[in-house]
Amino acid sequence: MADDLLSQLRQMTTVVADTGDIEAIRRFQPTDATTNPSLILQAAQQEARRDRLAEIARRAADLDDALDAVAVEIGSEISELVPGYVSTEVSARLSFDSGATLARARSLIERYGRHGVGPERILIKVAATWEGIRAAQQLEREGIHTNLTLLFSFTQAQACADAGVTLVSPFVGRILDWHRARDPEADFDGERDPGVRSVRGIYEHYKGHGYHTVVMGASFRNSGEILALAGCDRLTISPALLGELAETRGTLERRLVPLDAETRTPEPLDEAEFRWHLNEDAMATEKLAEGIRKFMEDQRKLESLLGELRRG
């Protein structure tokens, strides 16, 4: 009998858990784990964490201090369960401020250090805006690894590779959402999924030009999208879909295979080119803005929770 699909996927792709749920991470034993403001909010709302959150909130200098303390505490717990990277996100409020992003990222790394977690274990997540990419480029020069998130377009992916970021997280499911909303009768299964096609194009471009930036598909709506990207460098997957893959048997075919690198890389995009090409892509422009707003919505909920706990 064939192995389960999750076991086969692990043989060709690094499996990453897209969650802040400690029990789910224990169950699926991923190599890495990613978090974001929405996932940190879910973890923080667990009743078992309430007393500890209250303690953090009361000791914090302000809400920003409390937010980062909570994210790093949860990230540090996760780091004890995974052998690889833990991704922790800079506030979405700073998505268009390179200087503030740099300061916040350095602060997060310092906080992890006080928890005994070295910078080699952390990926600082930054939105793939022009300002976020510039901040990430500087962080990489300082030896701080970055994960560029909310990535919906080839333009963003090209600029991230130009900047030498460690990893990009192209979003599959949110691209599909946009296209389905505009053409609900279309068949977007398998290879026709526009999110899958986007990640495949980025992967082939990176491998074909010898970029070292890791491609990690993210934001999956169904297991079919994951199977269509088998062989991608990394895939970050929710506990629900990890469970589905673990319970399903069959033969998994590798779909993404590295190409021989060409000797010449394209000219880097400048700011005007980046902004123009992104503006021409309605889907990427809309989903990037929406993603930043959504992360901020959940961050504000966490701020409200911590504010209540500070007041006791």
Side-chain angles (χ1 to χ4, degrees):
M1 183 180 293
D3 289 339
D4 66 83
L5 294 179
L6 181 58
S7 296
Q8 294 176 70
L9 182 64
R10 292 184 195 273
Q11 296 173 20
M12 58 189 81
T13 290
T14 298
V15 172
V16 182
D18 193 15
T19 184
D21 184 335
I22 299 297
E23 292 308 313
I25 292 170
R26 284 198 179 99
R27 176 186 173 192
F28 293 110
Q29 299 183 325
T31 300
D32 303 342
T34 61
T35 64
N36 61 44
S38 303
L39 297 174
I40 292 295
L41 174 64
Q42 292 174 18
Q45 288 174 324
Q46 296 170 353
E47 189 61 33
R49 291 189 180 276
R50 192 169 184 85
D51 289 344
R52 176 59 182 154
L53 287 183
E55 180 184 353
I56 290 173
R58 291 177 190 133
R59 291 172 54 187
D62 53 32
L63 279 180
D64 282 343
D65 186 34
L67 286 167
D68 285 356
V70 169
V72 169
E73 174 140 325
I74 292 172
S76 297
E77 288 182 47
I78 293 171
S79 75
E80 297 176 1
L81 301 175
V82 301
Y85 290 123
V86 176
S87 289
T88 297
E89 192 147 350
V90 170
S91 169
R93 189 178 279 122
L94 307 180
S95 296
F96 305 102
D97 188 332
S98 296
T101 295
L102 283 168
R104 200 69 169 267
R106 293 165 182 150
S107 174
L108 286 168
I109 291 297
E110 289 175 5
R111 288 177 186 272
Y112 270 112
R114 293 197 291 270
H115 282 260
V117 183
E120 72 281 357
R121 297 289 313 283
I122 305 302
L123 289 175
I124 296 295
K125 287 181 76 174
V126 181
T129 59
W130 178 258
E131 295 81 2
I133 295 168
R134 298 281 67 77
Q137 184 175 41
Q138 178 58 36
L139 290 169
E140 294 285 352
R141 289 169 178 162
E142 297 174 13
I144 297 174
H145 301 301
T146 58
N147 170 351
L148 273 290
T149 187
L150 294 176
L151 194 150
F152 301 97
S153 72
F154 182 83
T155 297
Q156 290 172 289
Q158 183 178 347
C160 289
D162 292 341
V165 308
T166 298
L167 180 149
V168 293
S169 296
F171 278 32
V172 178
R174 296 195 196 189
I175 293 177
L176 175 62
D177 293 344
W178 191 90
H179 286 276
R180 273 187 171 161
R182 282 149 186 79
D183 193 358
E185 301 302 319
D187 180 2
F188 291 127
D189 288 342
E191 297 294 329
R192 292 178 291 275
D193 187 309
V196 168
R197 293 172 67 179
S198 176
V199 175
R200 184 183 294 274
I202 292 166
Y203 179 90
E204 291 176 351
H205 177 74
Y206 280 13
K207 304 310 175 190
H209 290 90
Y211 291 111
H212 297 297
T213 298
V214 172
V215 181
M216 181 174 74
S219 170
F220 295 108
R221 295 295 177 259
N222 56 70
S223 60
E225 292 177 322
I226 297 168
L227 302 182
L229 291 173
C232 192
D233 297 330
R234 280 168 164 77
L235 297 174
T236 182
I237 306 170
S238 69
L241 290 175
L242 286 171
E244 182 179 327
L245 292 170
E247 294 166 6
T248 304
R249 294 187 177 275
T251 301
L252 179 60
E253 175 187 353
R254 183 176 186 129
R255 310 304 292 274
L256 274 65
V257 179
L259 305 172
D260 291 333
E262 299 176 7
T263 56
R264 184 176 179 181
T265 58
E267 288 296 316
L269 292 172
D270 63 25
E271 181 177 358
E273 290 172 321
F274 175 88
R275 293 192 187 281
W276 175 253
H277 290 307
L278 186 61
N279 181 73
E280 287 287 277
D281 188 334
M283 177 277 297
T285 298
E286 293 171 22
K287 297 307 288 186
L288 174 59
E290 178 186 83
I292 291 169
R293 289 195 299 270
K294 173 59 178 171
F295 281 164
M296 270 313 303
E297 179 183 332
D298 286 337
Q299 182 176 314
R300 290 188 184 100
K301 291 177 182 176
L302 182 54
E303 288 172 350
S304 178
L305 172 61
L306 292 172
E308 291 173 7
L309 292 172
R310 273 171 67 87
R311 293 188 292 271

Coordinates of all heavy atoms in Angstrom, one line a residue, residues 2-12 15 223 227 242 244-253:
A2 N 0.5 2.3 -0.8 CA 1.3 3.5 -0.9 C 1.3 4.2 0.5 O 0.3 4.1 1.3 CB 0.7 4.4 -2.0
D3 N 2.4 5.0 0.7 CA 2.4 5.8 1.9 C 1.4 6.9 1.8 O 0.9 7.3 0.8 CB 3.8 6.4 2.0 CG 4.9 5.4 2.4 OD1 4.5 4.3 2.9 OD2 6.1 5.6 2.1
D4 N 1.2 7.6 3.0 CA 0.3 8.7 3.0 C 1.0 9.9 2.2 O 2.2 9.9 2.1 CB 0.0 9.1 4.4 CG 1.2 9.6 5.2 OD1 1.5 10.8 5.0 OD2 1.8 8.8 5.9
L5 N 0.2 10.8 1.7 CA 0.7 11.9 0.9 C 1.6 12.8 1.6 O 2.6 13.3 1.0 CB -0.5 12.7 0.3 CG -1.4 11.9 -0.7 CD1 -2.5 12.8 -1.2 CD2 -0.6 11.4 -1.9
L6 N 1.4 13.0 2.9 CA 2.3 13.9 3.7 C 3.7 13.3 3.8 O 4.7 14.0 3.6 CB 1.7 14.2 5.1 CG 2.5 15.1 6.0 CD1 2.7 16.5 5.3 CD2 1.8 15.3 7.3
S7 N 3.8 12.0 4.0 CA 5.1 11.4 4.1 C 5.8 11.5 2.8 O 7.1 11.8 2.8 CB 4.9 9.9 4.5 OG 4.4 9.8 5.8
Q8 N 5.1 11.3 1.7 CA 5.8 11.4 0.4 C 6.2 12.9 0.1 O 7.2 13.1 -0.5 CB 4.8 10.9 -0.7 CG 4.5 9.4 -0.6 CD 3.5 9.0 -1.6 OE1 3.8 9.0 -2.8 NE2 2.3 8.7 -1.2
L9 N 5.3 13.8 0.5 CA 5.7 15.2 0.3 C 7.0 15.6 1.0 O 7.8 16.4 0.5 CB 4.5 16.1 0.7 CG 4.7 17.6 0.5 CD1 4.8 18.0 -1.0 CD2 3.5 18.4 1.2
R10 N 7.1 15.1 2.2 CA 8.3 15.4 3.0 C 9.6 15.0 2.3 O 10.7 15.5 2.5 CB 8.3 14.7 4.3 CG 7.2 15.2 5.3 CD 7.4 14.5 6.6 NE 6.2 14.6 7.5 CZ 6.0 15.6 8.3 NH1 6.9 16.6 8.4 NH2 4.9 15.7 9.1
Q11 N 9.5 14.0 1.4 CA 10.7 13.5 0.7 C 11.2 14.4 -0.4 O 12.3 14.3 -0.9 CB 10.4 12.1 0.1 CG 10.1 11.0 1.2 CD 9.7 9.7 0.6 OE1 9.9 9.4 -0.6 NE2 9.0 8.9 1.4
M12 N 10.3 15.3 -0.9 CA 10.7 16.2 -2.0 C 10.5 17.7 -1.6 O 11.0 18.6 -2.4 CB 9.8 15.9 -3.2 CG 8.3 16.0 -3.0 SD 7.4 15.3 -4.4 CE 7.4 13.6 -4.1
V15 N 8.4 20.6 4.7 CA 7.1 20.9 5.1 C 7.1 21.9 6.3 O 7.9 21.6 7.3 CB 6.4 19.6 5.5 CG1 5.0 19.9 6.2 CG2 6.1 18.7 4.3
S223 N -6.1 20.8 -0.7 CA -4.9 19.9 -0.8 C -4.4 19.8 -2.3 O -3.2 19.5 -2.5 CB -5.1 18.5 -0.2 OG -6.2 17.9 -0.9
L227 N -0.5 19.5 -3.7 CA 0.0 18.4 -4.5 C 0.5 18.9 -5.9 O 1.5 18.4 -6.4 CB -1.1 17.4 -4.8 CG -1.7 16.8 -3.5 CD1 -2.8 15.7 -3.9 CD2 -0.7 16.2 -2.6
L242 N -2.6 19.6 6.6 CA -1.6 18.7 7.0 C -2.3 17.4 7.4 O -1.9 16.3 7.0 CB -0.8 19.2 8.2 CG 0.3 20.2 7.8 CD1 0.9 20.8 9.1 CD2 1.4 19.7 6.9
E244 N -5.3 16.3 6.5 CA -5.9 15.7 5.3 C -4.8 14.9 4.5 O -5.1 13.8 4.1 CB -6.5 16.7 4.4 CG -7.2 16.2 3.2 CD -7.8 17.3 2.3 OE1 -8.3 18.3 2.9 OE2 -7.8 17.1 1.1
L245 N -3.7 15.5 4.3 CA -2.6 14.8 3.6 C -2.1 13.6 4.3 O -1.8 12.6 3.7 CB -1.4 15.8 3.4 CG -1.7 17.0 2.4 CD1 -0.5 18.0 2.5 CD2 -1.9 16.5 1.0
A246 N -2.0 13.7 5.7 CA -1.6 12.6 6.5 C -2.5 11.4 6.4 O -2.1 10.2 6.6 CB -1.4 13.0 7.9
E247 N -3.8 11.7 6.2 CA -4.8 10.6 6.2 C -5.1 10.1 4.8 O -6.0 9.2 4.6 CB -6.1 11.2 6.8 CG -5.9 11.5 8.3 CD -7.1 12.3 8.8 OE1 -8.0 12.6 8.1 OE2 -7.0 12.8 10.0
T248 N -4.5 10.6 3.8 CA -4.8 10.2 2.4 C -3.6 9.4 1.8 O -2.4 9.8 1.9 CB -5.0 11.5 1.5 OG1 -6.0 12.2 2.1 CG2 -5.4 11.0 0.1
R249 N -3.9 8.3 1.2 CA -2.9 7.4 0.6 C -3.0 7.5 -0.9 O -4.1 7.8 -1.5 CB -3.0 6.0 1.1 CG -2.7 5.8 2.5 CD -2.6 4.4 3.0 NE -2.2 4.3 4.4 CZ -1.0 4.3 4.8 NH1 0.0 4.4 4.0 NH2 -0.7 4.2 6.1
G250 N -1.9 7.3 -1.6 CA -1.8 7.4 -3.0 C -0.4 7.6 -3.4 O 0.5 7.6 -2.6
T251 N -0.2 7.8 -4.7 CA 1.1 8.1 -5.2 C 1.3 9.6 -5.6 O 0.5 10.1 -6.3 CB 1.4 7.2 -6.5 OG1 1.3 5.8 -6.1 CG2 2.8 7.5 -7.0
L252 N 2.3 10.2 -5.0 CA 2.5 11.6 -5.2 C 3.6 11.8 -6.2 O 4.8 11.3 -6.0 CB 2.9 12.3 -3.9 CG 3.2 13.8 -4.0 CD1 1.9 14.6 -4.5 CD2 3.6 14.3 -2.6
E253 N 3.3 12.5 -7.3 CA 4.3 12.8 -8.3 C 5.0 14.2 -8.1 O 4.3 15.2 -7.7 CB 3.6 12.9 -9.7 CG 4.5 13.3 -10.8 CD 3.7 13.5 -12.1 OE1 2.5 13.1 -12.1 OE2 4.3 13.9 -13.1

